[in-house]
Amino acid sequence: MKKKLAVLSAKPAHYGFTLNFIHRDSLKSPFNNSNHSPYARIHTSIARSIARANRLATHSQRFGLESNSDGLKSQILSNDGEYLMNVSIGSPPFPLLAIADTGSDLIWTQCKPCSDCYEQRAPIFDPGQSSTYRPVSCSAPECTTDASGFQPSCDEVDRCQYSVQYGDRSSSEGTVATETFTIGSSSGGESVNFPDVAFGCGFENQGTFSSAGSGIVGLGGGSSSLIGQLDKSIGGKFSYCLVTLSSKGTKSSEISFGKNAVVNGDDVVSTPLVTKDPPTFYYLTLEAITVGEESIPFTDGSEFGETKEKGNIIIDYGTTLTVLPADFYSSVVAEVEKQVDGSRADDPSGQLSFCYDAEGFKAPEMVMNFEGADVKLRDYNAWVMVADDVVCFAFRAANLGIYGNLAQMNFLVGYDKEARSVSFKPADCANHD
């Protein structure tokens, strides 16, 4: 029996729904390479993480990301997201499996007629077959830089056009339109119908996009992202629970919105969300990292030494590793090395430099001291097995701070844009209800 579609109202946090959040290397993902061993999947995930962090660092101004006078450009790779989500667009609903990315605001998919597009294994959306597809005019509020996060242009019939260039020179160009988005709930609830969501219908898309994907759903903090457009309907709330890489269960990670995304309980800690430019990214303030009993204050390596700058680290589930400014990273590694019990080893892939023989290895306790929130890491949040006998530190040095997804696994992580906070609650995400 077909599920009835609920019609969305604009009441704050009126709706709550939960979706499977599919890791791109899981067996449920079309990106999965069945010929890869578990360690090969980890190596490719780390490689994507390093590339993503390097791109962000290249275009950073201290710990914020720069924009330019020609409008914002996405400074992430076109194909480096780690998690996928199912949505449908149009009437009747047309299914998409897209990269869900907190490092991007723009929502886009390939559209027919595709004049210059990359190969896509799944069917391509045909706006001509949808009764709810509406191109946005150049005078519409959606066709402004503030609303869209990019510099829009006009075609000869007054339709708003977008063009986005990614850090690896991949690009997507097409028409800005509004469409009905349908999001099904994996928590047993009805599917929810969201009318008039602005998105990019891409007719020219070239670069390193994978044929397995159908586009990008931006979940960033900007007004044009899915979070921004559904803001009133979901009360500005979303949360996720990421299963560990070693999980043997069949349950996927999950992402929740609205009333399903509330994180509460005695063991919840919360830290402020910091407003910075560009608004795409979710900025937190990391005050220190505690290793055992030793606290290492945050420093960005500048002439000012220890800095108390608000918003010095981005929380991003699209990056596998946690990335720290080089001087701070060195201080943390020096303290960890003092306290770790084990023999040094080499990463067979050469990607990570601070590794140990897994046999007899014992790691010190680590706590991320965010402003107002001390988040205690388990060993698998701070260390990653890269071979049967080698374990490596899941942190890396760069020119900015990123709190990556390994550090967030088995935590219920909740974002509340209205309260301007991010909350953490320890959880068993493979068995989380």
Side-chain angles (χ1 to χ4, degrees), residues 333-348:
V333 165
E335 187 57 41
V336 170
E337 192 168 21
K338 289 179 187 177
Q339 299 189 35
V340 76
D341 186 2
S343 302
R344 290 294 296 270
D346 294 325
D347 175 5

Side-chain angles (χ1 to χ4, degrees), residues 134-155:
R134 300 287 185 273
V136 168
S137 72
C138 291
S139 59
E142 295 91 346
C143 195
T144 63
T145 300
D146 287 344
S148 65
F150 56 87
Q151 185 70 44
S153 60
C154 286
D155 67 7

Side-chain angles (χ1 to χ4, degrees), residues 87-96 109 111 125 130 179-182 199:
V87 298
S88 294
I89 62 173
S91 302
F94 184 90
L96 301 175
T109 187
C111 291
F125 175 63
S130 172
E179 186 55 283
T180 295
F181 275 55
T182 302
F199 78 110

Side-chain angles (χ1 to χ4, degrees), residues 286-298:
L286 181 62
E287 297 180 334
I289 293 179
T290 300
V291 181
E293 299 296 324
E294 191 68 28
S295 176
I296 299 100
F298 180 91

Side-chain angles (χ1 to χ4, degrees), residues 269-270 287-288 290 367-376 411 424:
V269 294
S270 300
E287 297 180 334
T290 300
V367 178
M368 304 295 289
N369 305 120
F370 295 104
E371 180 182 358
D374 294 334
V375 179
K376 183 178 179 181
F411 284 92
F424 301 89

Side-chain angles (χ1 to χ4, degrees), residues 23 41 69 101 107 128 132 140 180 262 288 296 339 349 353 374 391 415:
H23 193 280
R41 294 189 187 102
S69 58
D101 192 3
I107 306 167
T132 46
T180 295
V262 175
I296 299 100
Q339 299 189 35
S349 71
S353 59
D374 294 334
V391 59
Y415 297 65

Side-chain angles (χ1 to χ4, degrees), residues 164-317:
V164 60
Q165 181 85 33
Y166 289 88
D168 60 358
R169 297 188 179 181
S170 297
S171 63
S172 175
E173 298 180 13
T175 298
V176 179
T178 61
E179 186 55 283
T180 295
F181 275 55
T182 302
I183 301 179
S185 179
S186 63
S187 56
E190 294 180 328
S191 296
V192 185
N193 182 18
F194 296 88
D196 301 322
V197 174
F199 78 110
C201 208
F203 300 108
E204 297 185 28
N205 315 290
Q206 287 297 316
T208 62
F209 302 109
S210 170
S211 62
S214 304
I216 292 177
V217 174
L219 297 180
S223 61
S224 63
S225 76
L226 188 65
I227 301 298
Q229 294 193 62
L230 304 188
D231 195 30
K232 291 181 179 179
S233 304
I234 61 175
K237 296 178 179 64
F238 71 100
S239 66
Y240 49 78
C241 206
L242 307 180
V243 301
T244 63
L245 295 179
S246 60
S247 175
K248 304 298 182 183
T250 57
K251 186 171 181 179
S252 295
S253 301
E254 290 184 333
I255 183 167
S256 299
F257 300 84
K259 64 184 181 182
N260 285 22
V262 175
V263 179
N264 52 31
D266 294 337
D267 50 355
V268 174
V269 294
S270 300
T271 187
L273 259 178
V274 179
T275 301
K276 293 179 70 172
D277 286 328
T280 301
F281 300 97
Y282 296 98
Y283 301 93
L284 308 180
T285 302
L286 181 62
E287 297 180 334
I289 293 179
T290 300
V291 181
E293 299 296 324
E294 191 68 28
S295 176
I296 299 100
F298 180 91
T299 176
D300 65 359
S302 72
E303 60 183 301
F304 302 107
E306 295 179 12
T307 63
K308 302 299 181 185
E309 179 183 351
K310 301 293 186 180
N312 56 19
I313 192 166
I314 297 164
I315 181 169
D316 177 37
Y317 63 70

Side-chain angles (χ1 to χ4, degrees), residues 410-423:
N410 270 354
F411 284 92
L412 183 57
V413 183
Y415 297 65
D416 189 332
K417 291 182 66 181
E418 290 188 352
R420 302 302 303 166
S421 67
V422 172
S423 299

